Amino acid sequence: MHEARFIVGIDFGTTNITVAYTDTKKDPEKIVLFPIPQLSAPGEIIESELLPAFCFFPDKRQLPEKALKLPWKGKTDYAVGVYARDFGPDSPGRFISSVKSWLCHAGINRREKILPWNSDFKDCTRSPIEISRYYLEHIRNAWDFKFKHLKDKNGKPCLFANQQVVL
């Protein structure tokens, strides 16, 4: 692997996910929390040092057309983060929480589409692994959106996939 410009640490918590990094081109001793862009309400983007570990599949008929649009992604049928945490509990059959606990539950198949638990909305069901992937993809896409203009020592964009990442 080439020498990464950034060293990135991800704390994948049950309730919140946080990302910290250091820029080896600058002061490698300085650790910075990554403000993660995310939806806070339909069509509203905020940056927060925490990505709440919640996923929500809102009823699209109740939302404006671009309500779930992120700066790096067009159409999507789900939201993670603040919006999911704040609006998801009102629709329990479309809301997923505590995915990390489901990942280590001995009584379930982590690859089976079991979440939201006991949901009647089969179009919303996902596996604990899929939801975990949604969180990590969100972080990767947010990183790329914020850092793609920076270059490493070889002149390549500082995309997430090219950094040293510790989960």
Side-chain angles (χ1 to χ4, degrees):
M1 183 173 179
H2 75 286
E3 189 175 318
R5 175 168 173 179
F6 292 94
I7 301 170
V8 182
I10 301 173
D11 180 0
F12 194 102
T14 303
T15 307
N16 289 294
I17 301 165
T18 190
V19 179
Y21 66 91
T22 188
D23 185 344
T24 63
K25 189 173 179 181
K26 293 183 178 178
D27 182 359
E29 308 255 333
K30 184 177 179 185
I31 297 173
V32 180
L33 289 174
F34 175 51
I36 304 167
Q38 58 195 286
L39 289 165
S40 61
E44 294 181 25
I45 305 289
I46 62 163
E47 291 186 351
S48 175
E49 293 171 346
L50 295 176
L51 178 70
F54 300 91
C55 186
F56 178 42
F57 296 88
D59 184 342
K60 290 174 264 189
R61 296 171 297 180
Q62 298 175 340
L63 293 175
E65 185 177 329
K66 297 184 180 183
L68 301 179
K69 186 176 182 336
L70 293 164
W72 56 84
K73 190 172 188 174
K75 200 171 185 180
T76 184
D77 63 345
Y78 67 90
V80 299
V82 170
Y83 176 72
R85 179 198 64 202
D86 293 351
F87 292 91
D90 293 336
S91 302
R94 298 176 170 279
F95 176 66
I96 299 171
S97 63
S98 303
V99 168
K100 188 174 165 187
S101 297
W102 287 102
L103 284 172
C104 63
H105 192 293
I108 60 108
N109 177 348
R110 291 154 199 77
R111 297 182 190 283
E112 191 175 331
K113 295 180 183 240
I114 59 168
L115 301 175
W117 189 253
N118 292 327
S119 176
D120 293 330
F121 302 104
K122 296 306 173 198
D123 61 323
C124 300
T125 58
R126 304 291 191 277
S127 74
I129 289 176
E130 284 177 285
I131 298 301
S132 299
R133 186 187 84 227
Y134 288 174
Y135 299 147
L136 294 172
E137 283 177 349
H138 184 93
I139 291 166
R140 180 196 65 206
N141 291 332
W143 178 278
D144 289 351
F145 178 74
K146 299 286 270 182
F147 288 96
K148 66 184 172 191
H149 67 282
L150 296 178
K151 306 290 184 209
D152 65 17
K153 72 176 190 169
N154 298 318
K156 294 184 180 179
C158 290
L159 301 177
F160 189 78
N162 298 329
Q163 307 315 308
Q164 182 179 339
V165 178
V166 178
L167 181 61

